[in-house]
Amino acid sequence: MTAGRGIIHSEIPGKEVATGLQLWVNLKSQYKMVEPNYQELNKSQMTTAKTDGVKVVIIAGESMGKRSEIRTLTPSYYLDFKVAPGATHKQSIPKGWTLFATL
């Protein structure tokens, strides 16, 4: 979702148990007043990649040579990794970017 100059949305997940992480990224000043925008992909539509015991769901950005269909005004990677015991993966991050990771 791009809030831009304002968007109304509901965060009520319904009767299902919902877990997730919501990350808000500040827009550059030139994008602060853009039209609000919402993109939605369900799990089956998300890009995934896997190799050598590492699986990634690419919510935004790119990993393992694949790219998400989600487009962001602020270049971002939002990746959900599952790493098997003993497996390793090195994710490239563009120079000058800030990284947030949760384990």
Side-chain angles (χ1 to χ4, degrees), residues 49-64:
K50 65 174 148 176
T51 184
D52 301 326
V54 178
K55 179 180 178 183
V56 62
V57 178
I58 307 161
I59 300 162
E62 61 186 66
S63 184
M64 296 184 193

Side-chain angles (χ1 to χ4, degrees), residues 1-3 25 27 31 34-41 45 47 58-63 65-78 97:
M1 170 178 24
T2 301
V25 177
L27 292 172
Y31 299 126
V34 298
E35 269 302 312
N37 184 37
Y38 181 76
Q39 303 168 76
E40 183 174 347
L41 294 177
Q45 296 171 304
T47 302
I58 307 161
I59 300 162
E62 61 186 66
S63 184
K66 294 190 177 183
R67 175 174 280 285
S68 169
E69 293 182 33
I70 295 292
R71 299 293 167 241
T72 60
L73 293 176
T74 302
S76 306
Y77 289 178
Y78 200 128
W97 282 28

